Amino acid sequence: MKFLAITLIAHRPDPVTGVLGPAHERFREVLDNAVLAEELGFDGFGVGERHERPFLSSAPTVVLSHVAALTRRIRLFTAVTTLSLLDPVRAYEDYATLDHLSEGRLDLIIGKGNGTAQRELFHVTPEDQWDRNAESYEVFRRLWRQDRVTADTRFRPPLKDAEAWPRPYQRPVRVWHGSATSKESVDLAARYGDPLFSANVTHPVEPYAELVRHYRERWEHYGHDPAALAVGAGSAGLCVARTSQEALTAYRPVFESNLAFQRSAGLPVVFETLEDFVARGSALIGSPEQVIDKVHRYHERLGHTVLHVTADAGGLPAARHRASLELFQSAVAPTLRREIPDPPFAWAPVLPAGTARTPAWAWTSPPP
């Protein structure tokens, strides 16, 4: 099993003090968390894309480019790239550039995105967002694979023998499809033989398991090799401690702050108590043994071989959050790596046969 640390760069007041820190400090936290994730042995670091309050993740390519400069091994993920809102040509240019700067460490997770405010900002409607997502992905995919592209598009000016630069480093980049509520994203992933990433954060496992089941059916329908199928899954929160009581006590202020935010924003409340959140949700809160057991139970329903956890403290004291990540990597991840298989592809840049790769250290000037 592989493990990602993910952030949407939410920018909210501290749940205990009520203080909202400066935006630049929040970005510094993200960069520090990315470096820490690599130091602790995580396999990937992801940055979301949202264009509305309370998120600062409107420019994931910029953030991930900075992360690429600070790290050397960890793979870089988008979580998710909202292709329904973007011009696919511009998105290609940004991500192909990031692919070069990171020396092929980029993986994309794409999706239509959520939120009324960002749809209105980009003049996208609920009726056309799925069609926009599918069209943008078709163009993006072809630009990555073809030197010249002709496409009779609906949502941007048509392309005729168009070129986009730079040509990519990876041939091709791996694209996952984010799945939360709809079969459209599941079918799109299965049609192209791409891996699926289940959001798996808001509700109990059942609706997500149903979408993954549909994905497997559609994968077979489109004639793909079952052995090549891959599923990733999210988790709603992380706090690993020596005992379950210690973990619950540490996480309770975070849960209560999140619950208050959901209610004030008029969002549906799925879990009324922390105990219910831990029992029926995907949150990984408890002792190492409890977390291992929960991941196995979810694996039985989803069959996932990649798991993401939150990269952010999210209201936990910084020292507690770091201790949780360290305990996850020392006492949880090794067992899950042994007992759950990796995805059926190499965790490395996708390069044409015979292509030499420049090592990361060769880009760095020697110290004086």
Side-chain angles (χ1 to χ4, degrees):
M1 181 170 248
K2 299 294 187 183
F3 301 99
L4 316 180
I6 297 290
T7 178
L8 297 180
I9 321 186
H11 189 220
R12 290 166 47 194
D14 183 278
V16 176
T17 67
V19 174
L20 179 67
H24 73 273
E25 290 185 4
R26 183 69 184 94
F27 281 118
R28 172 48 59 186
E29 288 177 2
V30 171
L31 300 176
D32 290 344
N33 287 339
V35 172
L36 176 62
E38 178 165 89
E39 290 176 353
L40 294 180
F42 279 89
D43 303 291
F45 186 83
V47 174
E49 181 181 344
R50 298 293 291 268
H51 300 269
E52 58 189 344
R53 293 177 182 264
F55 303 100
L56 302 179
S57 50
S58 58
T61 50
V62 178
V63 177
L64 286 171
S65 291
H66 198 149
V67 172
L70 296 173
T71 58
R72 288 292 177 263
R73 176 196 56 79
I74 199 166
R75 289 195 68 77
L76 310 176
F77 280 72
T78 63
V80 300
T81 295
T82 52
L83 278 182
S84 66
L85 309 180
L86 306 177
D87 183 310
V89 178
R90 192 70 184 95
Y92 166 81
E93 292 172 337
D94 285 344
Y95 282 108
T97 301
L98 171 57
D99 194 39
H100 279 280
L101 293 175
S102 67
E103 296 180 290
R105 287 188 282 144
L106 174 65
D107 271 50
L108 287 163
I109 306 175
I110 68 163
K112 68 171 180 58
N114 295 310
T116 301
Q118 63 182 13
R119 283 201 306 265
E120 293 176 350
L121 184 64
F122 287 90
H123 298 281
V124 173
T125 69
E127 292 74 28
D128 69 17
Q129 61 184 353
W130 283 112
D131 289 339
R132 287 176 178 271
N133 185 64
E135 177 182 288
S136 290
Y137 180 52
E138 167 65 21
V139 173
F140 183 94
R141 179 184 175 89
R142 290 179 59 192
L143 287 169
W144 208 282
R145 288 164 169 78
Q146 302 172 19
D147 291 338
R148 295 178 180 272
V149 171
T150 296
D152 186 16
T153 50
R154 289 174 55 200
F155 300 108
R156 60 144 289 130
L159 300 173
K160 185 174 181 180
D161 204 24
E163 294 181 291
W165 296 91
R167 299 313 301 149
Y169 186 90
Q170 294 187 94
R171 302 294 181 96
V173 69
R174 183 176 299 113
V175 177
W176 305 67
H177 294 249
S179 167
T181 60
S182 175
K183 291 182 177 179
E184 281 87 346
S185 58
V186 167
D187 189 80
L188 190 66
R191 186 190 320 164
Y192 285 107
D194 293 332
L196 186 76
F197 215 106
S198 174
N200 190 44
V201 295
T202 307
H203 300 281
V205 71
E206 286 77 15
Y208 304 111
E210 174 59 25
L211 287 172
V212 171
R213 183 194 62 77
H214 184 68
Y215 169 64
R216 294 178 184 277
E217 291 178 352
R218 298 306 291 171
W219 183 277
E220 182 178 348
H221 168 80
Y222 287 115
H224 301 302
D225 181 1
L229 182 148
V231 174
S235 59
L238 178 72
C239 186
V240 188
R242 292 174 301 159
T243 67
S244 61
Q245 191 56 51
E246 184 180 346
L248 288 169
T249 299
Y251 201 81
R252 193 172 299 278
V254 178
F255 174 81
E256 291 175 351
S257 173
N258 290 338
L259 184 63
F261 173 78
Q262 290 171 346
R263 287 174 171 158
S264 67
L267 300 173
V269 174
V270 178
F271 306 105
E272 294 280 354
T273 67
L274 174 59
E275 287 72 18
D276 188 37
F277 180 56
V278 174
R280 296 194 303 121
S282 63
L284 303 177
I285 299 170
S287 68
E289 294 77 13
Q290 289 172 313
V291 170
I292 290 168
D293 178 68
K294 173 171 272 191
V295 173
H296 271 292
R297 285 189 280 115
Y298 268 72
H299 177 71
E300 290 174 1
R301 301 295 304 276
L302 303 175
H304 58 305
T305 54
V306 178
L307 172 69
H308 90 49
V309 302
T310 179
D312 299 321
L316 287 173
R320 166 66 70 177
H321 178 57
R322 181 181 180 115
S324 175
L325 291 173
E326 290 175 343
L327 191 56
F328 180 89
Q329 280 294 356
S330 65
V332 175
T335 298
L336 294 175
R337 290 185 193 278
R338 289 194 306 268
E339 297 176 351
I340 296 177
D342 284 344
F345 40 72
W347 203 257
V350 182
L351 302 177
T355 301
R357 178 170 180 256
T358 303
W361 56 261
W363 282 41
T364 305
S365 299

